[in-house]
Amino acid sequence: MINRLYLSLFLLLTALSFKPDSGPSDEQFKNPSQSYGIRCWWWWLNGNVTKEAITRDLEEMKAKGFSGACLFDAGGQNQRDNADVPEGPMFGTPAWRDLYRHAVKEASRLGLTLSLSIQSGWNLGGPDITPEEATKHLTWSETKVKGPGKIRQELPMPKIKDGYYREISVMAYPAKANHNRKPIKDFKFKNASEEVGWSNIPDTRPLLTDEPAVLGEEDATLKNVITLTDKVKNGVLEWDAPAGEWTIIRLGYTPSEAEVSTSSGQWKGRVLDHMSEKHFNRYWDTHVEPLLKEIGPAAGKTVKYLQTDSWELGGINWTEDFAAEFKKFRGYEITPYLPILAGKIIENREVTTRFLADFRKTVSDCISEHHYGLFAKRARAFGMGIQPESAGPHAGPFDGLKNYGHSSLMMSEFWAPSPHRPTPERRFFVKQAASAAHIYNVPFVGAESFTTIGPHWNDVIWASMKPSADHEFCSGLNLIFLHTFTCSPREMGLPGQEYFAGTHFNPNVTWWNESGAFVKYLSRIQYMAQNSRFVGDVLYYYGDHVPNIGRLKEDDPAKVLPGYDYDLTNEDRLLALSVKDGQVTFEHGQHYRLLVIPDHGVLSLKALRKIHELVKNGATVLGRKTTHTVSLENYPASETEVKKLADELWGAASTSSGQHTFGKGRTIWGKTAREVLQEDGIQPDFSADKKLDYIHYQWGKADWYFVSSQQKEAQKSEVEFRMTGKQPELWNAVTGEIRPITNFRQEKGRTIIPLEFTPNGSWIVLFRTPIPETKQGNAVSNFISYQPVKTIEGTWNVSFNQKWGGPEKAAFKTLTSWTKRPEEGITYYSGKATYQITFDSPTPANPYLDLGDVQDVGVAHVRLNGKDLGVLWCPPYRISVKGYLRAKNNMLEIDVTNSWRNRLVGDRGKPQSQRFTQTNILIRPEWELLESGLLGPVQILKGE
């Protein structure tokens, strides 16, 4: 039993001690301000929107507690056999801009924050992108000539696209007779002509190696490569060739196959060159700046962020001034090594591999600086930030964290359960974005949320959406962007027009009126996380190789889980670290006990020099001794310096595991980060005897943990926190309830708390009020135990909405699924039905109403004796009725809402004139009826 006196004293002490700047506000947690609300991908599907629909959407967002939306014009309505919808005004046209101005005006009126996707669809580009402005691929041809003597030879034209080709270089080297060798391994990835992974990101470090070298296998040495570019005119080579047979490579570039994806109407075309400032500026000046100027002071005030979607344009490996950029970034000329880009081995496999690593890193630098960096710069001129999905999850030729360095809102994505993404590594990607926010000191970690491909209108909030969000909250998420909220004009009917993917979450879903309770749950957690600093013990440097993208938290590259947490960093931010009190620390104060480096023995010279400095100043670094770089920068002298620095840092490192002291710090190898922390006496920050996930934050003097059970069954667990000397509190983000934890013990620097979790349940455990470290919580339990005192039986009068085919009223003598009723109008019913019953009941001192099972969305709105008790949306469907339950003639009303699925199944195969529903989404033959309604048992419980 919870100690009520303890609770009263706790609330009084909290009220007296609370200061606004000392941590979270109880009242703000219970009722978060609008600014902490979720946002959404506001899909303008095929441009088919109206001013009326725009106003309705924004007013409904405001009413449900949203803080804003990302205006996203796109198509996709007819993918996967779905029907088309009417084509609206094309992005950027006068008619489209009229709708856009209306949206901005309405958002301003309502105090909502907008982001704007700067095109229709994704893969930035459009109908006016010329071949010169498009993303580019290397292309080449090869021929043989014999000398000695003057040669006039027409060189074969490489494979080109759109009739566009520009020469980079023509080169010759002595041909080898009967030259047969293994090709460069994974060459299409190494020369950045293809993405390495499509949402299932592999470890890309193998790109730093190749097949074992064979003596004499090289195609040429550097000194034997002759540049003949100035001897070629109109594709004809005129050359006084030396004796022997020569291989001639004609290397140039042409537009890639990349096209704008999933766009509305006629917004089709090539993808913009993501390495060119010139071409981005032209696109901006033509398409973006006019939109921003059109809204005047609302740019930067209402429209605060600009958006582009995830990289899905494949590989990209050249731009007009790439040779100069390569010299700028890498410090040496690219020309002698160009045959490598045609798959040739120059000097040897090691030199070739080193050059290709430099080449990919330069591609990444150009993308980061000349695309995303320029994007941010142009936005800042309007007082705006950017929020592109610039760091994956598709493994393009870039460093994800480097790209994130330009963002003012780190945007990632995660998926709800979906046949298209069935496993965690294909669903969850927020950890990298959260790390970026922590290392760059950016407050917002956003995500395109609840994406799916396949399901439509059958998502169960507590079973699919909540655990997906909770998983990513544990990774550092603090701003949900629903995917997707489709704008659907009234004339498109119900459920209306929809995108082929995503969890449908807009005013057209049946449960929209009840959705505010779930939105408030998300907003409460966002309120806490947006104001807090992440606590992690480990910083993992993920190397300077390209591609380089972080994935889900459970990847755990430092091997620190479970019980500890970590961030990722890239080379740029590694170079910004200093040491304070033995911890590696960023300039804004984010700090970590342990720096971990990759275990493959490769570091750039810049990184190794920095690690040398950090260890000398007192840092602890875990990782295998560095043996070499994979770069031609300052090569081979670089390797001499590597050996010197590595010997100082690691000593001989002759054992499989060990440590070496250097300066004030040390290096350790052959162990996991978790083992090192435990050997150093650093206890786990969190541990439990059941499978739970967590994240730890600090806000002022308060520490708090979000703890999530990802289990569909209820469970109990004894949970330990690396915290002592503060009173633990239980904050319930579902209800807003705050109460002290009365059953706990403090021992050996830890607070140990027995917790109970509902299915897919979660808690916030907060520590803020000082107590003696000897104080123990001696209550029997932190949770009420429930005993049934009454099962509500009898005939339930259930009313349906006749507009959707249901009867006005039906009598349910037993609680059963609508799909098992004989009435067709109930079997195929979708929407809200109201259950009513009158009952007598015992009146225990602490009574609760338990609804039992609620299907299919799992949403119920409860009223007892005229008192609105609110919306229940997750198990247990239980609520206190203290003060409202009486012994006689209780009137209970329960609104239960199911999804659109059953009505759609009932309409399947019928002509539109006979359907209740109207939508472009195909009612698929495999769709089945879903159990729906109040299934019970409905009981009165006594709580003790």
Side-chain angles (χ1 to χ4, degrees), residues 335-351:
T335 303
Y337 301 91
L338 286 173
I340 295 173
L341 298 179
K344 306 304 178 183
I345 296 176
I346 301 299
E347 289 290 320
N348 52 53
R349 284 190 185 264
E350 181 182 0
V351 167

Side-chain angles (χ1 to χ4, degrees), residues 461-712:
I461 299 173
W462 74 267
S464 61
M465 296 175 72
K466 181 182 187 295
S468 300
D470 287 353
H471 181 281
E472 297 297 61
F473 283 136
C474 288
S475 297
L477 175 70
N478 67 24
L479 184 54
I480 293 278
F481 282 76
L482 297 175
H483 184 230
T484 188
F485 185 119
T486 299
C487 183
S488 184
R490 184 188 309 178
E491 54 268 29
M492 298 307 295
L494 291 173
Q497 65 180 25
E498 271 299 351
Y499 180 50
F500 85 99
T503 297
H504 306 318
F505 198 140
N506 67 0
N508 283 9
V509 297
T510 53
W511 44 274
W512 174 257
N513 288 338
E514 289 72 42
S515 66
F518 177 52
V519 171
K520 185 167 279 191
Y521 168 78
L522 302 173
S523 299
R524 289 181 177 123
I525 298 169
Q526 293 182 170
Y527 160 69
M528 298 290 288
Q530 288 175 17
N531 287 292
S532 301
R533 184 184 69 81
F534 168 71
V535 177
D537 289 301
V538 172
L539 181 64
Y540 178 76
Y541 169 55
Y542 75 174
D544 74 318
H545 54 282
V546 172
N548 207 352
I549 297 172
R551 302 198 308 174
L552 74 169
K553 178 178 176 179
E554 290 84 348
D555 258 14
D556 189 20
K559 302 295 181 287
V560 69
L561 303 180
Y564 304 90
D565 210 342
Y566 68 96
D567 272 331
L568 304 170
T569 191
N570 65 337
E571 184 176 82
D572 288 355
R573 296 305 290 157
L574 175 77
L575 299 178
L577 287 169
S578 61
V579 180
K580 184 176 180 180
D581 299 328
Q583 301 194 16
V584 291
T585 306
F586 289 108
E587 63 274 17
H588 52 277
Q590 187 74 42
H591 55 83
Y592 311 86
R593 300 174 190 271
L594 180 64
L595 174 64
V596 181
I597 62 175
D599 61 3
H600 59 292
V602 176
L603 287 178
S604 72
L605 196 51
K606 284 182 182 178
L608 184 59
R609 287 169 179 163
K610 185 65 182 185
I611 289 167
H612 186 273
E613 173 197 315
L614 293 171
V615 174
K616 186 176 181 179
N617 290 335
T620 298
V621 174
L622 169 64
R624 175 182 160 190
K625 183 177 182 179
T626 301
T627 57
H628 62 289
T629 68
V630 182
S631 171
L632 291 178
E633 295 184 59
N634 301 313
Y635 179 79
S638 58
E639 306 314 290
T640 302
E641 186 176 353
V642 165
K643 185 177 188 308
K644 176 181 180 295
L645 294 174
D647 285 348
E648 290 179 359
L649 281 166
W650 281 275
S654 57
T655 56
S656 59
S657 65
Q659 73 175 38
H660 181 76
T661 300
F662 172 69
K664 298 178 182 178
R666 60 186 171 145
T667 55
I668 303 173
W669 63 92
K671 298 178 181 180
T672 67
R674 194 169 195 275
E675 290 170 339
V676 170
L677 290 169
Q678 290 184 327
E679 289 174 6
D680 282 353
I682 307 302
Q683 300 184 71
D685 193 19
F686 173 90
S687 60
D689 57 9
K690 299 288 172 56
K691 187 175 181 181
L692 301 170
D693 200 1
Y694 86 102
I695 191 167
H696 178 188
Y697 286 103
Q698 288 180 338
W699 183 351
K701 297 179 181 179
D703 284 82
W704 64 276
Y705 295 75
F706 178 75
V707 184
S708 167
S709 167
Q710 297 278 303
Q711 307 302 312
K712 289 190 175 181

Side-chain angles (χ1 to χ4, degrees), residues 741-910:
I741 291 174
T742 55
N743 179 359
F744 67 92
R745 62 186 189 274
Q746 299 184 87
E747 57 185 49
K748 298 179 181 179
R750 302 179 72 71
T751 298
I752 304 164
I753 305 171
L755 293 178
E756 297 179 9
F757 293 85
T758 58
N760 290 324
S762 59
W763 293 107
I764 289 173
V765 180
L766 183 139
F767 301 83
R768 58 176 169 175
T769 305
I771 58 172
E773 293 187 10
T774 56
K775 182 175 179 57
Q776 310 296 335
N778 295 316
V780 174
S781 174
N782 292 314
F783 298 91
I784 296 171
S785 63
Y786 301 92
Q787 300 297 325
V789 298
K790 167 78 175 182
T791 298
I792 300 174
E793 296 175 321
T795 299
W796 295 77
N797 295 311
V798 186
S799 57
F800 296 85
N801 189 337
Q802 292 178 286
K803 177 181 177 181
W804 299 106
E808 182 180 3
K809 290 188 180 296
F812 280 59
K813 294 183 178 179
T814 58
L815 293 174
T816 187
S817 171
W818 301 346
T819 57
K820 296 179 180 179
R821 293 283 298 198
E823 305 94 330
E824 182 175 314
I826 298 179
T827 299
Y828 296 112
Y829 183 78
S830 286
K832 180 175 74 175
T834 300
Y835 289 72
Q836 292 182 325
I837 195 168
T838 301
F839 67 97
D840 299 336
S841 174
T843 55
N846 194 22
Y848 284 79
L849 174 69
D850 190 308
L851 303 186
D853 191 12
V854 181
Q855 295 289 339
D856 63 342
V857 177
V859 172
H861 192 167
V862 182
R863 296 174 295 279
L864 178 64
N865 297 324
K867 173 64 177 178
D868 188 340
L869 300 180
V871 173
L872 303 178
W873 57 272
C874 59
Y877 292 92
R878 184 174 61 219
I879 194 165
S880 172
V881 291
K882 187 175 183 179
Y884 311 116
L885 181 69
R886 54 196 184 213
K888 299 289 185 181
N889 297 320
N890 290 282
M891 170 58 72
L892 177 62
E893 297 177 286
I894 306 170
D895 299 333
V896 176
T897 306
N898 70 340
S899 70
W900 281 116
R901 177 58 68 88
N902 290 352
R903 185 65 270 166
L904 290 164
V905 170
D907 285 353
R908 185 170 52 205
K910 295 179 180 180

Side-chain angles (χ1 to χ4, degrees), residues 71-117:
L71 195 168
F72 204 133
D73 187 283
Q77 69 281 354
N78 52 12
Q79 295 186 36
R80 297 212 164 196
D81 302 320
N82 296 307
D84 219 329
V85 302
E87 182 179 334
M90 188 174 76
F91 176 85
T93 61
W96 190 94
R97 294 201 306 269
D98 184 45
L99 295 166
Y100 157 73
R101 285 193 306 271
H102 178 74
V104 173
K105 180 181 177 182
E106 290 293 82
S108 298
R109 173 177 67 86
L110 295 164
L112 296 172
T113 295
L114 290 184
S115 307
L116 173 66
S117 178

Side-chain angles (χ1 to χ4, degrees), residues 144-170:
K144 296 281 199 307
V145 299
K146 288 187 177 180
K150 292 186 178 181
I151 293 170
R152 191 176 191 280
Q153 174 78 43
E154 184 174 355
L155 301 179
M157 174 63 75
K159 182 181 178 181
I160 65 173
K161 185 176 184 293
D162 296 337
Y164 184 90
Y165 172 81
R166 294 294 182 271
E167 204 99 277
I168 297 171
S169 183
V170 176

Side-chain angles (χ1 to χ4, degrees), residues 97 224 268 876:
R97 294 201 306 269
N224 287 335
K268 311 297 182 186

